[in-house]
Amino acid sequence: MNLILLGPPGAGKGTQAQRLVQSHGLVQLSTGDMLRAEVRSGSALGRRVKEVMESGALVSDDIVIQAIEARIAGPEAANGVILDGFPRTVPQAQALDAMLQRHGRKLDHVILMEVDEPALVDRLAGRFSCRNCGAAYHERNHRLQKEGVCDNCGGTDFVHRPDDRPETVTKRLEVYRRDTAPILPYYRDRGILRSINGMGEMDDVAQAIEGILRG
Ligand code: AMP
């Protein structure tokens, strides 16, 4: 089963993708995570994309398409993938179709997580993640069970993303509306787009997704 989680930054795509990894044994392919790993590696490419990411703009289609294809072609993707943060433009959606076809795979579901945009700035400003395992938390909505200790791996070092600053979030939302929203009709016309309310409790959102996957 291959699926896309779509929605603006802060919709909860990463959180729900992590749950699906646990519950369905799917592989999460997050272009944002791949790009952040590239930045951490300090490579020439990483240095180039760091600036773009911190400005809230999109990295070029070629770079993310290549990164995704390398993973979709691999054996770990055979059981199915959850695409989180990809595609973000119509050319990326078209490239995805072509590569799935090349590798004999197909897209089963595209799930749009609908959220109240004004609430997103607040949601993103409060989020942080474990530096060690990447588990995502929020200062109010998803707190650590034990202060200062990651529930998942016991790590004690946490990071706030530099692009979650309110001014950058505003830019990322503009980019979403301008460049990413046009892919919705692309999938709607094929009858595989389903929408869910992404504003509820995490468990309710997860249940709504499960309902779609069960068909
Ligand atoms: P995310 O973690 O998905 O919110 O992505 C963080 C940032 O990485 C985005 O604001 C973009 O700068 C870049 N990025 C992630 N995925 C893509 C993509 N599919 N296309 C272009 N840029 C991307």
Side-chain angles (χ1 to χ4, degrees), residues 3 26 75 82 111 121 133 141 166 177 214:
L3 63 126
L26 300 172
I82 312 155
I111 301 176
V121 175
C133 73
N141 313 334
R177 282 192 294 268
R214 278 197 300 270

Side-chain angles (χ1 to χ4, degrees), residues 31-32 35-36 53 57-59 64 85-86 88 92 161 172:
T31 37
L35 292 167
R36 280 183 288 278
M53 291 172 80
L58 292 183
V59 170
V64 288
F86 180 93
R88 259 177 159 98
Q92 289 179 22
R161 281 172 46 174
R172 288 163 67 203

Side-chain angles (χ1 to χ4, degrees), residues 8-10 13 30-33 35-36 49-50 52-61 64-65 68 84-89 92 124 127 161 163-164 168 172 175 180:
K13 303 184 295 291
S30 156
T31 37
D33 285 350
L35 292 167
R36 280 183 288 278
V49 301
K50 179 174 192 279
V52 178
M53 291 172 80
E54 288 188 358
S55 76
L58 292 183
V59 170
S60 76
D61 286 340
V64 288
I65 289 168
I68 285 287
D84 152 20
F86 180 93
R88 259 177 159 98
T89 63
Q92 289 179 22
L124 292 178
R127 82 174 172 181
R161 281 172 46 174
D163 57 346
D164 280 346
T168 317
R172 288 163 67 203
V175 169
T180 306

Side-chain angles (χ1 to χ4, degrees), residues 7-163:
K13 303 184 295 291
T15 304
Q16 294 298 332
Q18 282 175 5
R19 292 177 73 129
L20 289 166
V21 168
Q22 305 286 332
S23 56
H24 289 262
L26 300 172
V27 171
Q28 175 186 9
L29 298 183
S30 156
T31 37
D33 285 350
M34 292 174 199
L35 292 167
R36 280 183 288 278
E38 195 66 42
V39 170
R40 278 197 303 277
S41 79
S43 68
L45 175 63
R47 286 197 296 278
R48 279 209 313 278
V49 301
K50 179 174 192 279
E51 222 172 290
V52 178
M53 291 172 80
E54 288 188 358
S55 76
L58 292 183
V59 170
S60 76
D61 286 340
D62 293 355
I63 292 174
V64 288
I65 289 168
Q66 251 182 37
I68 285 287
E69 177 138 31
R71 300 291 301 277
I72 280 194
E76 79 277 6
N79 193 32
V81 297
I82 312 155
L83 293 161
D84 152 20
F86 180 93
R88 259 177 159 98
T89 63
V90 171
Q92 289 179 22
Q94 290 164 338
L96 174 65
D97 279 340
M99 74 176 85
L100 286 171
Q101 204 175 17
R102 271 199 298 281
H103 299 290
R105 312 203 202 284
K106 80 177 205 333
L107 197 53
D108 299 287
H109 303 281
V110 180
I111 301 176
L112 171 64
M113 301 178 66
E114 290 190 300
V115 286
D116 169 13
E117 281 202 15
L120 291 178
V121 175
D122 183 53
R123 247 197 194 190
L124 292 178
R127 82 174 172 181
F128 60 97
S129 59
C130 172
R131 193 187 287 279
N132 180 46
C133 73
Y137 299 95
H138 190 277
E139 281 158 11
R140 285 185 311 283
N141 313 334
H142 183 193
R143 297 164 69 144
L144 295 164
Q145 280 166 16
K146 183 164 174 238
E147 184 66 34
V149 182
C150 175
D151 301 353
N152 186 45
C153 75
T156 53
D157 199 6
F158 298 91
V159 280
H160 278 275
R161 281 172 46 174
D163 57 346

Side-chain angles (χ1 to χ4, degrees), residues 186-202:
Y186 182 83
Y187 291 121
R188 195 174 285 125
D189 290 349
R190 278 166 45 186
I192 53 170
L193 181 72
R194 298 282 302 275
S195 300
I196 58 164
N197 175 9
M199 290 308 287
E201 293 293 324
M202 271 188 311

